[in-house]
Structures are given as C-alpha cells and as structure tokens.
Amino acid sequence: MPDGVGEVEVWMPPLVTVPDVPGTLARMSSLRLVQTVTAGVEPYRPHMPAGATLCNARGVHDAGTAEWAVGAMVAVLREFPGFVDAQRRGEWTYHHTGVLADSTVLIVGYGSIGAALERRLAGFEVEVVRVARSARDGVHGMDELPVLLAEADVVVLLVPATPATAEMVDAAFLARMKDGAVLVNAARGGVVDTDALIAELKTGRLRAALDVTAPEPLPEGHPLWSAPGVLITPHIAGSTPASERRTLRLLRAQLERYLAGEPLINVITDSY
Ligand code: GLV
C-alpha cells in the first residue's frame, strides 16, 4: 500500500480481489467512491465506510460472460471435452450427442448479463425463461423456481453473491432439475453447495459447466476436478479484451461524473 493512501478519494480495486479488503478500506480515510471493475461487489459491500459510495461494473462483462455461457453450454451438450480427450488418444469415438436446439434455457438472475445471453441465444432455436429476485413483466420471481427448474434443459446461474443466494443451489434445487440437464455457473461458486453438486454429478444424472467454484481457486486434488460430467474454467468469463475495453470506457465516464459532481452510475444501493 503506497504512502498517502489516506488521501485516496476514489479506489478502483483490481479484477482479482486484494487479500485484505477491510484493512485496505480502513486505511483510505478520505475515501468517497469505490468503483469496481467487476459486476460482483460482495468483497466490498459489507465493509464500505460511511460516506463512501460503491459502484459496480454493470455491463462491462456482459459480452464476455454471455459468450462464455453460450460456449460452455454448447461444449457440454455437444461433448467437446470428451472429444478432446479422445483426440488426445487418437480415437474416433463416433456417437450421437445432445444439442442446444429445442431446449429450454432457464436464466436464474436475469439482469444485464442475462439479457446479453438471451440476445446471443436468439439464433439457437431455444426457449429462454427468465427468473429474477422479483417478478416483473416477462420475468418470473424466485418463488417460481421449483416449478421452472423441472422444465429446464439448461440452468444458467447469474445471481449476485448475497446472503440470500448463498448455496441456493443445494441438494433440493439440484434434485428438481430434469434428468440430463446442465447447470451453468457464471455467478459465484458460493451460490452452489459444492458437495451436493459433486454428489449429483456422480450419479451421472446432471452435467455442469462452472467458471466459478467454491473454494476458489479450486485446489489441486479437490474432488470437483474429477467429478464426472463437469467442465471447469478458472473464472475467465470476463477476462478478455472485450471486458478491458468496456472497463476503460466505464472508468473514464465515472471519473468524469465524479469530477463534475454529477450523479454516479451503477450505484449499489442495497444488497443488489
Ligand atoms: C466477475 O466475476 C464479475 O463479478 O464481474
């Protein structure tokens, strides 16, 4: 931490969370604004000093994350990981696979990333069902999840990490998912009960694509690595030049507002 940190008014924390967020925030005694470069703000929200505003990077990772989710569901349904293994062995393992066409894709946590995902799915001949914290026109409320889960072929998690979403994907949630369904997690690892997911994967009834895990980073030797039917990427959905370009645009726009005393954008007002 450089000298003079007590004079910092605006902190833009790095993409990968620094080790001691509460301690770091505590040393910034002049802090007015924390502008994250992530959509998720859970490392900061509980520790925000009075008088400072927290803003997230809503929109910045929409393209990258939505693109990852499409790629991940296609990869799992079309069995790309298994074909890559076979390629390494030099084996021609011809067989039919699943397909995204004609599926129902349930987006749990329908916000700006969900809308970006829906736009990208528009050409895939799927039905998209939207769920968010509160029901609105065209979007179901979380209370309808038990019924909707049973009808979905692909369930995409995009909810923020809040006390309400902690391990919301538990054994009961997974049990409601259709045989052969795919769970896609582009939210946070803590939204899923990892042990319950491993148990379900071991039965072969469900498959999963995970960009986030609990714990994260997933340690070497963790049973999730070798669970059947899981594709794991190391939290890279938003780590692309597309996000970098959008991050710079957001930071510039926000700093201009801050300096001009204009209302800030993406202000986090509640548990979001
Ligand atoms: C990335 O994980 C983000 O929260 O934007």
Side-chain angles (χ1 to χ4, degrees):
M1 192 64 66
D3 287 343
V5 72
E7 291 163 30
V8 167
E9 281 177 54
V10 180
W11 184 34
M12 295 171 172
L15 190 63
V16 176
T17 315
V18 299
D20 179 18
V21 169
T24 305
L25 283 170
R27 293 182 58 188
M28 295 184 184
S29 46
S30 309
L31 195 64
R32 305 293 310 280
L33 166 64
V34 175
Q35 171 61 62
T36 68
V37 297
T38 50
V41 293
E42 72 282 0
Y44 313 99
R45 211 185 60 78
H47 310 292
M48 284 299 292
T53 303
L54 176 62
C55 297
N56 78 349
R58 180 184 169 88
V60 159
H61 303 295
D62 292 4
T65 308
E67 184 176 301
W68 175 88
V70 173
M73 63 183 84
V74 170
V76 171
L77 289 164
R78 304 310 305 264
E79 301 183 24
F80 288 171
F83 288 123
V84 170
D85 287 346
Q87 181 182 351
R88 289 214 183 89
R89 298 192 303 270
E91 272 179 42
W92 188 264
T93 55
Y94 176 83
H95 59 274
H96 279 224
T97 70
V99 70
L100 189 53
D102 307 331
S103 307
T104 298
V105 178
L106 179 67
I107 301 178
V108 182
Y110 187 84
S112 69
I113 299 174
L117 173 59
E118 183 171 11
R119 289 195 296 278
R120 280 156 182 78
L121 288 173
F124 280 88
E125 300 179 36
V126 296
E127 187 191 350
V128 172
V129 181
R130 313 169 196 96
V131 177
R133 188 169 50 161
S134 35
R136 51 187 191 268
D137 203 20
V139 183
H140 299 269
M142 288 287 180
D143 52 323
E144 292 176 70
L145 255 186
V147 174
L148 298 172
L149 279 173
E151 291 159 9
D153 301 288
V154 180
V155 177
V156 185
L157 304 174
L158 289 172
V159 290
T162 68
T165 62
E167 296 198 350
M168 66 178 273
V169 180
D170 55 10
F173 182 112
L174 295 166
R176 286 190 192 274
M177 286 175 63
K178 213 173 172 176
D179 286 358
V182 179
L183 180 75
V184 177
N185 192 358
R188 284 292 181 269
V191 170
V192 176
D193 175 342
T194 302
D195 291 340
L197 178 62
I198 293 172
E200 197 65 75
L201 291 170
K202 280 186 175 161
T203 70
R205 207 180 66 78
L206 301 178
R207 286 173 292 172
L210 312 173
D211 189 45
V212 287
T213 58
E216 188 174 312
L218 196 61
E220 198 184 332
H222 190 285
L224 187 57
W225 283 119
S226 50
V230 65
L231 168 63
I232 300 172
T233 55
H235 204 149
I236 47 74
S239 299
T240 74
S243 288
E244 283 167 19
R245 286 187 287 267
R246 287 157 179 75
T247 301
L248 291 176
R249 285 204 289 269
L250 170 68
L251 297 184
R252 183 183 190 96
Q254 192 74 303
L255 282 175
E256 282 172 355
R257 282 167 177 270
Y258 179 80
L259 290 171
E262 288 169 9
L264 300 172
I265 47 177
N266 300 349
V267 175
I268 304 298
T269 48
D270 61 2
S271 64
Y272 76 115

